[in-house]
């Protein structure tokens, strides 16, 4: 499966009154064509910043301070604004959290669906309206709703309009930043099933971002776990379900009360996230990690790529494994 | 003493706040110590008229032969006190009405806000003219009362909307959960959180008061015995200072009003910016 | 069976808003009844707009109930001024948003200490009592926290301060309105564990309100599933999760993402959320895949089924 | 039309109530302030003859002490458009003096307010679009300065510069002395030529307020999600700026425009005196000088009525911009 998007050593920082905040630090991952890739992590881990960095939507103080983003073989970070604008929505589109205001309150739904199309193909004129009707049918919304205003739609309907809008120009990558967080679980289920259905039909790739790990495990093929600006583990869904490797991933999985498994007490993760202005020297998860070893305090863990995906933890780096076997050996003897 | 000065210094945040404070101090000094600073006594008409600025008369003399500089200095006192006192009266009324209306809600809020909206539409200056022209004697005190009693409307409304947004927040509901009395929630819980907005409004209202006083005295409704920046301008206009090229009589009062109010506005905006910047730690 | 601490009978709340001509009435809560014993946890689960938060506000007398009866220790709340004055020392609520529930202008010591003074739980200096409360909720070293301002604390720490403040009034019943929905999950679990431990140690009754069935199952002994202001199904937690009866409970269960589940059969569902619910039919009828004619004409009554659940559905009538 | 009846009735209701209060206020003020209202309204010395004074007292029911009777009479007179007789330009009734003066004031004030709102809108948008830029900071600081300057001072300065030293504009008055003999085209030219400076003064004086309000509104709107989405859609900067940004920022400031109308008229009163422009302001000024109370009351009433009417019009225009208001 050739790669659609390659992100190499991406770093994003912004100046705050207390100093430079390294929101995203040396993140590397790739998304295949037609793959649903998940980026999970708790608040402040930099998952949304990464997405906005890729699609060049960073708000003022934040800026990319290093690394490369290659989409379909084209390097994005060096493009000029005008060149990048050509890609906007035709190659990359975005679906934001379904807060009250992701649709312009004073414009009709039809105008907001059409203006993306017109921006890239001004000659459309009449057929633009038909395209808008097509898009509404695509997400099972009644076509007569085209002439109503956003405040007349329910949260679920508004989110479906935004999804239809994102597919207006058949982009190759759709970034979804917490698309269903503000919705009820039943409506969310309907929208997630509609997204998966559309993905199968049009074959675009999805970068799905959320803090809800169970939802991600149900929907995404491969998942990246971020913590305090670092990408700590990338693995397939089955791998993460059966044998999560990074201690933080294990802690996360042990924080979600499940509906079907046995009812036992969960421990969660003690402590709280580090300060991104002066992050701890070694691994950023070290202060909260129960399996921390000597190197963790001093040495940032190297990124290891292997069959199971990517892992950035000393337990799995070469010296780590060597020491592991040594200590295991002496235990046995 | 040093600590108090320090606290007062960073109570006026940012470059704007500091600049505003300097301007304010400059005018306070003149208002308080005017009589010693002014080269000639008040309304003293002992000189030739229309003298351009010279060593003895830094700002020249007007058509009556009064020294413009000393008139300006005495005028500072009136405008200063009118601005401050009218501003305070307006703030006290505006804050109480705003908080009570914003917090209590129901018919109290409805009636108060109807009155405010009503009077906001009717031009306040016209109302002031009516009041001023009918009052038997027009002392400085009555000017302050008129301006104070009519300019709290805008402030009342902005404090009310601020209080309403605070009323929705969690800590007010938590306070009611604990069983705190209404007055405590209003004045010990909500008030500290809207103080920055009150201060910003106080500053705005003081500016309006100074401008209103200048307007009233320009129309000849101010205190005839007293001199203020407004009366100087009124006389300048009435005596066609323009035809006599008497720019030194026209410019200073206007600039003085402008800088005085400008200082206040700078302070107001400095406070608002700091308030918005650290909405998290709003510990003033 | 210990005497019920809290007994709610046929609770109802109608919000009426009057525009110029017509009187609009919204029945937010309808004929809700349940009991709560000391040391037990009841979870009320429902989507937004199902009336669950309205019930919490009625129980704590923040808003008056239109009809129905709320009794604490057998004493009804209705026109009982004495109980209402003392209510804060009987029932307390933990709010959903810890970031907004603490006044940014007061120190933690003042926030926890002030209620003690309001209800004269402590004479004179409240500092030692506040330190004890901070220790009880795990905010140690407590000397560090007592003089801090809310903006210096993380979300989890803020929620612990709120719990400490609530404990200060030594309530018998604690109502937690979605206590962890604004927090990261790894911190939320600690808060839930803390609430469970406190329930055991202090023998409290806990009423938890949430939209997440997972946390309801983790915390509660009994679960009540609410929809459009009515209790659709009420039963022991484990029983209700393993063997749901009411179609809506099934819908909620299968919609909640749970990767550890083998295979979940899906409903197809019309996104008819927020449709006007008339009194003459079962309120879930517009979205119910099993709706029959009777559902459209007669409101469903709560029925005790053989599995011990109370279900409001014609399938079991 | 898209009007929702409830909104319409509510707005007209408020306008009528405000009008009623203004009228009642106008009636009560002289009675509360000075001793005997009769002496205020029809004092013999000003009119020079006893019969005229009595006739006036009868007409206004001042001879009957009961307040309600006077109030009823006052309202009746008002409905006939009779605002009493002005002392200064006796015997012409107040109503005529007002009718002559009102168009001048309304003309200048309305054009000035709309133009200043438009210019303020453009500057505010450009400033907020690139916050912190030189343009933004300079407009911000000059707006602070301008908003703290009295209207009439700007007027005097402008006369000094443009009329006196540069001679581009007349020193005052509304029309040329030989206005009546002009053909209609020259009349219009002369009116515009004389009105330019007063309108320009009003624009500059009120510009600062509009810039500040609009800039703050737009700053808030720019941080909304739909702006981010518009950028992500690759829409042209102009569409984002106006159809998405400005239209949403316009709404709250439109209500601000309505309340600022009263403030502008207040300012216009003093400006007209400097330009000796024969509007309501000038009339009020002369009325104050001559203690001509009926005229003062009359001018106040006219100002209040015109402001209320303008606000009602603005209320009716508002639903056309903000879809949420008219339809719900």
């Amino acid at each position: 499966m050739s790669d659609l998007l390659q992100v190499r050593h991406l770093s994003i920082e912004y100046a705050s009154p207390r100093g430079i905040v390294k929101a995203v630090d040396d993140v590397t991952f790739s998304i295949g064509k037609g793959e649903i890739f998940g980026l999970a992590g708790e608040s402040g881990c930099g998952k949304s910043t990464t997405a906005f960095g890729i699609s060049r939507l960073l708000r003022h103080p934040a800026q990319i301070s290093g690394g490369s983003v290659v989409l379909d073989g084209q390097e994005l970070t060096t493009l000029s604004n005008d060149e990048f604008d050509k890609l906007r929505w035709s190659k990359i589109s975005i679906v934001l959290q379904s807060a009250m205001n992701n649709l312009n309150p004073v414009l009709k739904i039809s105008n907001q669906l059409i203006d993306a199309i017109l921006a890239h193909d001004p000659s459309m004129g009449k057929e633009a309206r038909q395209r808008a009707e097509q898009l509404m049918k695509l997400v099972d919304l009644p076509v007569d709703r085209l002439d109503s205003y956003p405040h007349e739609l329910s949260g679920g309907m508004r989110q479906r309009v935004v999804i239809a809008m994102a597919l207006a120009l058949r982009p190759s990558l759709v970034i979804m930043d917490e698309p269903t967080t503000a919705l009820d679980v039943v409506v969310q289920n309907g929208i997630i099933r509609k997204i998966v259905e559309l993905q199968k039909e049009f074959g675009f790739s999805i970068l799905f971002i959320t803090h809800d790990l169970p939802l991600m495990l149900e929907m995404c093929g491969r998942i990246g776990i971020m913590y305090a600006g670092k990408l700590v583990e990338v693995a397939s869904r089955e791998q993460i379900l059966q044998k999560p490797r990074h201690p933080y991933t294990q802690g996360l999985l042990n924080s979600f009360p499940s509906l079907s498994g046995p009812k036992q007490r969960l421990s969660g993760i003690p402590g709280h996230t580090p300060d991104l202005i002066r992050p701890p020297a070694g691994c950023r998860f070290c202060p909260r990690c129960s399996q921390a070893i000597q190197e963790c305090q001093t040495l940032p863990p190297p990124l290891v790529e292997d069959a199971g995906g990517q892992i950035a933890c000393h337990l799995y780096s070469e010296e780590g494994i060597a020491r592991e076997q040594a200590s295991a050996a002496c235990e046995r003897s | 003493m040093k600590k108090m000065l320090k606290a007062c210094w960073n109570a006026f945040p940012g470059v704007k706040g500091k600049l505003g404070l300097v301007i304010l101090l400059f005018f306070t000094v003149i208002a308080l110590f005017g009589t010693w600073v002014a080269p000639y006594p008040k309304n003293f008409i002992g000189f030739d008229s229309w003298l351009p600025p010279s060593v003895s008369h830094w700002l020249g003399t007007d058509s009556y032969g009064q020294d413009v500089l000393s008139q300006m200095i005495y005028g500072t006192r009136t405008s200063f006190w009118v601005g401050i006192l009218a501003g305070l009266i307006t703030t006290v009324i505006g804050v109480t009405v705003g908080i009570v209306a914003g917090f209590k809600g129901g018919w109290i809020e409805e009636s108060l806000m109807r009155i405010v909206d009503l009077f906001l539409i009717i031009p306040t200056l016209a109302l002031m003219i009516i009041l001023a022209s009918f009052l038997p004697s027009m002392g400085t005190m009555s000017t302050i009362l008129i301006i104070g009693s009519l300019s709290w409307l805008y402030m009342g409304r902005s404090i009310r909307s601020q209080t309403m947004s605070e009323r929705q927040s969690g800590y007010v509901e938590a306070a009611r959960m604990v069983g705190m009395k209404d007055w405590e929630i209003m004045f010990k819980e909500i008030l500290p959180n809207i103080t920055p907005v009150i201060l910003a409004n106080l500053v705005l209202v003081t500016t309006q008061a100074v401008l209103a006083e200048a307007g009233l005295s320009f129309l000849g409704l101010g205190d005839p015995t007293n001199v203020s920046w407004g009366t100087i301008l009124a006389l300048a206009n009435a005596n066609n200072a323009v035809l006599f090229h008497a720019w030194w009589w026209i410019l200073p009062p206007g600039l003085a009003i402008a800088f005085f109010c400008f200082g206040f506005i700078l302070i107001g905006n400095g406070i608002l910016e700091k308030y918005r910047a650290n909405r998290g730690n709003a510990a003033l | 069976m210990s005497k019920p601490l809290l007994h709610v009978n046929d609770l109802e709340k109608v919000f009426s808003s009057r525009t110029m001509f017509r009187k609009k009435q919204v029945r937010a809560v309808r004929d809700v009844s349940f009991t709560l014993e000391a040391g037990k946890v009841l979870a009320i689960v429902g989507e937004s707009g199902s009336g669950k938060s309205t019930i919490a506000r009625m129980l704590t007398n923040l808003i008056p109930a239109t009809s129905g009866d709320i009794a604490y220790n057998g004493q009804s709340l209705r026109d009982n001024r004495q109980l209402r004055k003392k209510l804060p020392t009987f029932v307390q609520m933990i709010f959903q948003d810890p970031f907004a529930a603490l006044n940014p202008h007061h120190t933690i010591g003042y926030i926890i200490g002030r209620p003690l003074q309001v209800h004269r739980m402590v004479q004179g200096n409240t500092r030692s009592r506040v330190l004890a409360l901070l220790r009880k909720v795990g905010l140690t070293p407590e000397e560090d926290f007592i003089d801090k301002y809310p903006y210096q604390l993380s979300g989890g720490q803020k929620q612990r301060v709120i719990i400490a403040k609530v404990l200060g009034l030594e309530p018998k019943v604690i109502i937690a309105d979605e206590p962890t929905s604004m927090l990261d999950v790894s911190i939320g679990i600690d808060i839930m564990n803390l609430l469970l431990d406190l329930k055991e140690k202090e023998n409290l009754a806990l009423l938890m309100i949430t939209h997440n069935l997972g946390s309801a199952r983790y915390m509660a002994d009994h679960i009540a599933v609410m929809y459009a202001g009515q209790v659709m199904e009420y039963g022991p937690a484990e029983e209700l999760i393993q063997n749901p009866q009411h179609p809506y409970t099934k819908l909620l269960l299968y919609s909640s993402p749970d990767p550890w589940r083998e295979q979940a059969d899906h409903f197809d569902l019309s996104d008819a959320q927020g449709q006007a619910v008339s009194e003459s039919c079962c309120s879930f009828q517009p979205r119910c895949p099993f709706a029959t004619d009777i559902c459209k004409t007669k409101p469903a009554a709560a029925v005790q089924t053989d599995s011990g659940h109370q279900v409001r559905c014609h399938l079991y009538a | 039309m898209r009007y929702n009846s409830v909104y319409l009735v509510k707005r007209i209701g408020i306008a009528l109530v405000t009008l009623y209060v203004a009228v009642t206020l106008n009636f009560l003020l002289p009675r509360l302030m000075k001793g005997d209202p009769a002496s205020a309204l029809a004092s013999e010395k000003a009119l020079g003859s006893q019969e005229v004074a009595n006739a006036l007292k009868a007409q206004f029911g001042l001879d009957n002490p009961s307040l309600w009777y006077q109030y009823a009479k006052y309202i009746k007179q008002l409905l006939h458009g009779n605002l009493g007789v002005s002392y200064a330009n006796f015997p012409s009734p107040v109503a005529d003096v007002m009718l002559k003066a009102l168009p001048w004031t309304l003309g200048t004030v309305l054009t000035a307010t709309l133009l200043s709102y438009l210019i303020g809108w453009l500057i505010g948008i450009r400033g907020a679009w690139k916050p912190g830029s030189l343009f933004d900071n300079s407009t911000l600081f000059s707006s602070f300065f301008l908003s703290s300057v009295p209207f009439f001072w700007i007027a005097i300065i402008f006369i000094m510069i443009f009329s006196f030293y540069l001679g581009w504009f007349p020193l005052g008055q509304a029309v040329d002395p030989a206005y009546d003999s002009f053909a209609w085209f020259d009349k219009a030219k002369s009116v515009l030529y004389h009105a330019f400076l007063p309108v320009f003064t009003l624009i500059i004086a009120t510009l600062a307020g509009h810039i500040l309000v609009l800039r703050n509104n737009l700053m808030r709107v720019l941080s909304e999600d739909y702006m981010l989405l518009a950028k992500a859609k690759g829409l042209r900067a102009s569409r984002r700026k106006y159809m998405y940004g400005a239209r949403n920022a316009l709404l709250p400031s439109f209500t601000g425009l309505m309340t600022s109308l009263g403030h502008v008229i207040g300012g216009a009163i003093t400006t007209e005196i400097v330009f000796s422009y024969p509007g309501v302001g000038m009339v009020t000024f002369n009325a104050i000088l001559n203690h001509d109370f009926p005229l003062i009351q009359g001018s106040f009433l006219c100002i209040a009525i015109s402001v209320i009417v303008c606000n009602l019009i603005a209320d009716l225009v508002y639903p056309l911009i903000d879809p949420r208001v008219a339809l719900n």
Side-chain angles (χ1 to χ4, degrees), chain A:
Chain A
M1 184 164 60
S2 69
D3 283 348
L4 172 74
L5 178 78
Q6 279 121 15
V7 175
R8 291 287 170 269
H9 309 297
L10 180 65
S11 297
I12 301 172
E13 55 191 37
Y14 59 89
S16 77
R18 288 181 19 248
I20 301 286
V21 177
K22 287 196 262 310
V24 172
D25 192 355
D26 187 18
V27 164
T28 305
F29 65 91
S30 55
I31 303 178
K33 278 196 168 50
E35 182 190 23
I36 303 181
F37 180 83
L39 207 54
E42 295 188 317
S43 50
C45 72
K47 51 190 189 302
S48 296
T49 317
T50 311
F52 288 164
I54 293 169
S55 54
R56 202 181 282 199
L57 290 168
L58 288 171
R59 284 225 171 87
H60 173 55
Q63 21 123 4
I64 297 181
S65 59
S68 87
V69 176
V70 173
L71 179 72
D72 257 348
Q74 191 182 12
E75 171 57 50
L76 297 185
T77 47
T78 55
L79 287 180
S80 73
N81 279 339
D82 301 344
E83 283 157 346
F84 198 92
D85 280 350
K86 289 200 194 64
L87 299 182
R88 284 193 194 283
W89 224 251
S90 56
K91 279 277 194 300
I92 309 176
S93 66
I94 193 162
V95 173
L96 294 176
Q97 181 163 6
S98 55
M100 178 56 194
N101 50 27
N102 58 6
L103 285 172
N104 184 346
V106 287
L107 277 184
K108 287 197 174 112
I109 300 292
S110 49
N111 297 354
Q112 301 193 46
L113 278 175
I114 294 170
D115 64 12
I117 303 168
L118 290 181
H120 289 270
D121 178 1
S123 63
M124 270 293 247
K126 191 73 188 67
E127 316 92 27
R129 176 78 188 193
Q130 274 119 19
R131 280 304 306 285
E133 277 156 15
Q134 256 175 0
L135 288 170
M136 290 294 265
K137 289 198 194 74
L138 214 59
V139 285
D140 309 337
L141 282 179
V143 174
D144 59 18
R145 281 305 198 165
L146 267 176
D147 295 324
S148 49
Y149 284 89
H151 67 274
E152 291 162 325
L153 303 181
S154 73
M157 283 192 219
R158 256 201 311 274
Q159 202 54 5
R160 284 169 184 262
V161 167
V162 167
I163 291 168
M165 204 191 300
L167 304 179
L169 299 167
R170 298 288 181 274
S172 47
L173 171 67
V174 178
I175 298 175
M176 296 192 176
D177 183 10
E178 305 261 10
T180 58
T181 304
L183 297 176
D184 287 312
V185 71
V186 174
V187 174
Q188 163 179 297
N189 188 279
I191 287 187
I192 293 295
R193 280 195 0 256
K194 172 53 70 176
I195 291 174
V196 171
E197 188 191 308
L198 289 173
Q199 197 275 329
K200 282 199 183 59
E201 190 179 341
F202 296 103
F204 49 84
S205 314
I206 299 180
L207 172 56
F208 192 86
I209 291 165
T210 182
H211 62 280
D212 186 347
L213 199 52
L215 172 65
M216 181 164 281
L217 285 166
E218 236 180 37
M219 180 182 173
C220 305
R222 256 179 351 114
I223 292 158
I225 309 283
M226 281 187 77
Y227 179 76
K230 286 273 190 196
L231 188 60
V232 293
E233 180 168 9
V234 176
S236 68
R237 183 153 55 98
E238 295 68 25
Q239 160 86 16
I240 290 208
L241 264 177
Q242 275 99 28
K243 209 170 93 32
R245 296 193 282 180
H246 197 281
Y248 178 62
T249 316
Q250 291 157 4
L252 261 187
L253 280 170
N254 199 354
S255 309
F256 285 91
S258 83
L259 281 171
S260 44
K263 184 174 177 183
Q264 89 274 18
R265 188 168 173 110
L266 302 172
S267 62
I269 307 169
H272 49 80
T273 50
D275 170 13
L276 291 180
I277 291 175
R278 278 172 298 285
C283 162
R284 292 187 177 180
F285 185 60
C286 179
R288 303 174 71 182
C289 180
S290 50
Q291 307 161 28
I293 54 177
Q294 223 299 321
E295 283 85 356
C296 293
Q297 267 92 20
T298 52
L299 208 59
L303 183 63
V304 169
E305 288 222 27
D306 58 19
Q310 287 170 240
I311 178 80
C313 174
H314 283 303
L315 297 176
Y316 299 89
S317 60
E318 293 71 22
E319 323 89 25
I321 295 170
R323 168 148 322 94
E324 210 50 35
Q325 275 125 15
S327 63
C330 65
E331 259 162 28
R332 272 198 306 282
S333 58

Side-chain angles (χ1 to χ4, degrees), chain C residues 245-259:
Chain C
Q245 309 281 313
H246 194 283
Y248 179 63
T249 316
K250 288 181 185 151
L251 180 68
L252 265 186
L253 258 171
Y254 299 136
S255 306
S256 307
D258 183 24

